[in-house]
Amino acid sequence: LQKLGRIYLSLDVRCKAEGFWSAAEVWIKKPHVVNKRLCGVKESEYEAVCSEDLGSCLARLTGTHGHELSELFPFIHVYTVDSGIKAEESCWVKTSSKELNLHPYFLFIILYVIIYLFINISDLIGQAVTFLPIEETREGHVNLKKSNIYKIQLEENTDECVLRLHALSPDQWFSDGVAYPKLSWLTAELLPKLARWAIENKSSEFKSTLSLIPVEKYSVLYQQLKNKYKEMVKVWPEVTDPEKFVFEDVAIATYLLVLWAEERAEKGVTSRQSFVDLGCGNGLLVHILNNEGHPGKGIDVRKRKIWDLYGPNTHLEEKAITPSASFLFPETDWLIGNHSDELTPWIPVIAARSSYSCRYFVLPCCFFDFCGKYQRRHCKKTQYREYIDFISEVSGACGFQTDEDCLRIPSTKRVCLIGRSRSYEEPEGELAEARRTDYIRGRQVSYTSFTNVTQKDHSRHNHHGDGQEIPEPGSEWGSGFQPREKTETVRNCAALPRDLVDGVVLKVARALLELTAEAGEEGKNSSWKDTNNWHAGGSLSIREVAELLDQSTLQTLKKECGGLQTLLKNSHQVFRVEGGRVHIRDWRNGGPVRVNSKPKSQTSGALKTRLCWFHTHHPHGCPLSTEDCLFAHGEDDLRPSTRPLKKLRS
């Protein structure tokens, strides 16, 4: 027995075991939460086994003779049968599908699949989880991989509570970096996370990842599609991050392809499902689904640059979508809403009214109601959970049996809702339509009353604004809806009036410099005049900086993405923003200074094309010489720009 790592826990005595099993369940059922190279897990078998039957059970599962397993029994920490145990001392173990009533001397065995097979043995009394990896050969034989057997155990006494990692044969440990991580990783990464989970003992408010599809099929297909479409990263012409958007859409496409394949198998059909992606954006999801044999198209109000790269087999339309009879799709199997913003609550409605057989998949992002931005009503829920519940409510009102799942994508907004079947029979369509009409009108009236029509003063045509006009009660189901404008509004502070930006920069910089000036008598009397002692000032939090500005300026910045912090980061020549605090940038420390060689920016055509803020405004001027500074020290030092100025990286 080798004790390789330990973490001390400060747990309440009553919740020690509960916290440990809660943490262990995360590692057993959601290993991808820690090991990002895994897609998930598939549990295949549960079994309660007493100590006498453990050998025969493991022999059956591993294909190993019982006597060869005898060396494992002390490691697994099996307790012998105590004849004094009474029936009422038995305990309940809850699984995903049923509850088992077990005596304390029973072990709980789960066989589950990651990429390789593992047998997980849960010792209910010893508070330990043992992992026995088994591998299947090409001939179909199953072998126990003894070198990689390990155990996680909670050890308690009156003075301390310790979470330990034990390995049976650490000197023979094999690591492939995926299902078999290094022992050092288990000690340094897994144990601390298990300790934190044991203390927190919180259950997630969302479903498990990939709970509606076979994880093993998803894993295989995702790797295939990732290799097939990874070249898109190199040719990505959009300003968005290609790594994030390409692999996120690959993951969403993988999910839909597996979901649809399972649907075809269940219905006994071979023809691939058709689809329409409403608000398709860059169109990559449409491109992948078309390439993989599914007929369909994407529609968006604005064409993207990358559309021209897809070729004629990818079907994309530039068109404003309005919820109305003009945008129903009776011949389409599935409607998709992937971060569809103001269209999100309308997609279940459009699907329900397109045909009885039309299904939908929606991945909500920004929070919209039928008539504008979604207004919170339940403070006890997170905003995201509340919005997911709202879209699920819309789905139910439209007559769908709604499923919820969590995707494996690089995004915080990864909960999807799926409407695959109806809660009413097809002949009841008219009654169902009356119910959904009443629901939509009720929401519209409620929205108007709740907001008191104050949002009419705001911009109705930007991504995070209201998005729609408030319709009159009893109006057409799609009237009042305003799609976003074809030209996307720039909201990164770049279009703000120059005098407003300059005023904010000067006020914040002076406040930072005053922090140093007020630090002592030297700062007050002589340091402002001593140009050999260049002052970098103090630092302020974003909140403290906001308190320096008037309400009118703050309201203007609030309408921009990122607000005040974006403006400060855009003013990179003057400020350095790190860890939520603002500092004066000192170009002597890490800036692109010329030292016996030309700075990298000199070849960009941007050198000396803007005035140096420090030369003009700082009490000590610029800390760099005229030759070393990238910016112009006065009008006579300015040069004409030959290229657009690129943002300097800190």
Side-chain angles (χ1 to χ4, degrees), residues 289-482:
L289 295 177
N290 282 164
N291 271 6
E292 300 306 312
H294 285 271
K297 64 182 179 180
I299 307 174
D300 201 278
V301 69
R302 179 169 55 87
K303 180 180 178 180
R304 307 303 199 273
K305 297 175 184 177
I306 198 170
W307 286 15
D308 294 328
L309 303 182
Y310 292 139
N313 294 327
T314 300
H315 305 288
L316 300 167
E317 294 182 10
E318 185 179 15
K319 185 187 299 182
I321 305 166
T322 56
S324 64
S326 301
F327 282 90
L328 296 179
F329 307 92
E331 304 301 323
T332 300
D333 295 319
W334 283 80
L335 298 186
I336 298 172
N338 175 19
H339 293 177
S340 46
D341 300 329
E342 66 270 12
L343 281 171
T344 298
W346 286 105
I347 286 178
V349 181
I350 297 172
R353 288 175 168 169
S354 290
S355 71
Y356 182 76
S357 61
C358 187
R359 289 87 77 194
Y360 79 85
F361 167 94
V362 69
L363 182 62
C365 178
C366 299
F367 307 143
F368 285 91
D369 206 324
F370 292 112
C371 303
K373 291 192 71 174
Y374 178 79
Q375 305 296 324
R376 295 201 64 182
R377 288 171 170 80
H378 305 285
C379 60
K380 293 185 178 180
K381 298 180 182 180
T382 64
Q383 185 179 19
Y384 187 43
R385 177 69 263 177
E386 182 181 342
Y387 189 68
I388 293 295
D389 289 344
F390 163 61
I391 299 300
S392 183
E393 177 187 297
V394 173
S395 178
C398 289
F400 283 101
Q401 300 279 5
T402 311
D403 294 316
E404 179 183 313
D405 206 352
C406 213
L407 304 186
R408 289 275 288 154
I409 57 176
S411 173
T412 56
K413 308 289 178 61
R414 56 195 188 97
V415 177
C416 68
L417 294 171
I418 302 171
R420 291 184 285 187
S421 60
R422 304 295 174 93
S423 58
Y424 61 92
E425 298 298 328
E426 189 169 6
E428 302 171 337
E430 289 187 8
L431 181 60
E433 173 58 29
R435 286 196 296 264
R436 72 174 67 102
T437 299
D438 289 342
Y439 175 81
I440 295 170
R441 288 177 177 173
R443 289 294 305 184
Q444 292 170 341
V445 172
S446 174
Y447 185 91
T448 306
S449 302
F450 188 86
T451 59
N452 198 27
V453 203
T454 56
Q455 297 190 32
K456 285 186 176 180
D457 297 329
H458 297 165
S459 169
R460 294 182 289 123
H461 299 297
N462 60 53
H463 185 106
H464 294 275
D466 294 342
Q468 300 99 15
E469 296 173 349
I470 300 175
E472 294 296 326
S475 62
E476 282 273 337
W477 67 281
S479 64
F481 177 88
Q482 288 288 332

Side-chain angles (χ1 to χ4, degrees), residues 42 52 126 165 222 283 313 316 381 415 417 457 519 529 587 624:
K42 178 186 178 182
E52 289 99 341
L165 173 72
Y222 176 74
N313 294 327
L316 300 167
K381 298 180 182 180
V415 177
L417 294 171
D457 297 329
K529 300 176 182 178
W587 286 95
L624 304 179

Side-chain angles (χ1 to χ4, degrees), residues 122-302:
S122 299
D123 184 347
L124 302 179
I125 299 180
Q127 296 182 159
V129 185
T130 306
F131 296 87
L132 281 66
I134 55 177
E135 295 180 340
E136 188 174 359
T137 65
R138 293 181 178 179
E139 294 76 23
H141 301 299
V142 177
N143 296 324
L144 177 64
K145 194 173 184 64
K146 294 184 179 180
S147 62
N148 282 53
I149 296 174
Y150 71 98
K151 176 173 65 175
I152 300 168
Q153 185 169 24
L154 180 68
E155 300 177 2
E156 302 178 62
N157 55 48
T158 56
D159 300 323
E160 62 184 14
C161 183
V162 185
L163 195 63
R164 292 190 187 274
L165 173 72
H166 306 277
L168 183 63
S169 305
D171 54 331
Q172 302 175 21
W173 188 271
F174 165 78
S175 173
D176 63 0
V178 185
Y180 300 139
K182 294 180 180 179
L183 280 174
S184 58
W185 183 90
L186 292 173
T187 303
E189 297 292 334
L190 177 61
L191 270 188
K193 283 187 170 61
L194 290 174
R196 191 184 76 234
W197 296 335
I199 294 172
E200 292 176 350
N201 195 18
K202 295 179 181 178
S203 58
S204 173
E205 60 181 347
F206 297 108
K207 295 276 187 176
S208 299
T209 305
L210 308 179
S211 62
L212 299 179
I213 61 173
V215 176
E216 68 277 17
K217 293 182 180 179
Y218 174 91
S219 178
V220 172
L221 182 58
Y222 176 74
Q223 292 301 324
Q224 294 173 351
L225 296 182
K226 184 178 179 181
N227 292 331
K228 185 174 181 179
Y229 295 101
K230 64 182 179 182
E231 296 300 316
M232 294 298 302
V233 173
K234 300 179 181 178
V235 298
W236 194 256
E238 306 294 331
V239 296
T240 50
D241 180 8
E243 290 278 350
K244 177 185 185 299
F245 281 86
V246 170
F247 295 124
E248 180 170 317
D249 281 351
V250 166
I252 296 171
T254 303
Y255 186 92
L256 287 171
L257 291 171
V258 174
L259 182 74
W260 292 346
E262 293 296 298
E263 182 183 66
R264 293 195 302 273
E266 182 181 342
K267 293 182 177 181
V269 298
T270 57
S271 58
R272 295 180 183 266
Q273 294 90 333
S274 60
F275 71 92
V276 175
D277 187 348
L278 300 175
C280 63
N282 60 52
L284 181 56
L285 178 60
V286 177
H287 176 64
I288 297 173
L289 295 177
N290 282 164
N291 271 6
E292 300 306 312
H294 285 271
K297 64 182 179 180
I299 307 174
D300 201 278
V301 69
R302 179 169 55 87

Side-chain angles (χ1 to χ4, degrees), residues 415-588:
V415 177
C416 68
L417 294 171
I418 302 171
R420 291 184 285 187
S421 60
R422 304 295 174 93
S423 58
Y424 61 92
E425 298 298 328
E426 189 169 6
E428 302 171 337
E430 289 187 8
L431 181 60
E433 173 58 29
R435 286 196 296 264
R436 72 174 67 102
T437 299
D438 289 342
Y439 175 81
I440 295 170
R441 288 177 177 173
R443 289 294 305 184
Q444 292 170 341
V445 172
S446 174
Y447 185 91
T448 306
S449 302
F450 188 86
T451 59
N452 198 27
V453 203
T454 56
Q455 297 190 32
K456 285 186 176 180
D457 297 329
H458 297 165
S459 169
R460 294 182 289 123
H461 299 297
N462 60 53
H463 185 106
H464 294 275
D466 294 342
Q468 300 99 15
E469 296 173 349
I470 300 175
E472 294 296 326
S475 62
E476 282 273 337
W477 67 281
S479 64
F481 177 88
Q482 288 288 332
R484 73 186 74 167
E485 291 183 343
K486 185 174 181 179
T487 303
E488 190 171 28
T489 305
V490 177
R491 300 176 57 246
N492 61 355
C493 295
L496 289 174
R498 191 69 250 171
D499 58 344
L500 184 145
V501 175
D502 291 343
V504 171
V505 170
L506 190 59
K507 179 174 287 191
V508 175
R510 284 176 175 171
L512 293 171
L513 291 172
E514 285 172 3
L515 291 176
T516 303
E518 296 170 357
E521 292 301 319
E522 182 183 354
K524 289 182 179 180
N525 299 327
S526 61
S527 62
W528 287 99
K529 300 176 182 178
D530 182 7
T531 56
N532 292 323
N533 186 15
W534 192 86
H535 281 278
S539 72
L540 291 169
S541 67
I542 298 294
R543 179 184 293 274
E544 291 169 329
V545 171
E547 293 173 354
L548 301 173
L549 307 179
D550 58 71
Q551 285 300 313
S552 175
T553 301
L554 290 174
Q555 287 299 322
T556 301
L557 295 178
K558 217 170 185 180
K559 298 175 183 177
E560 303 293 308
C561 294
L564 174 60
Q565 186 165 232
T566 297
L567 184 148
L568 297 171
K569 288 184 175 181
N570 287 353
S571 304
H572 56 272
Q573 183 194 164
V574 185
F575 302 118
R576 174 172 54 88
V577 183
E578 292 179 354
R581 299 193 68 82
V582 185
H583 312 258
I584 294 287
R585 185 179 295 280
D586 188 346
W587 286 95
R588 298 171 299 179

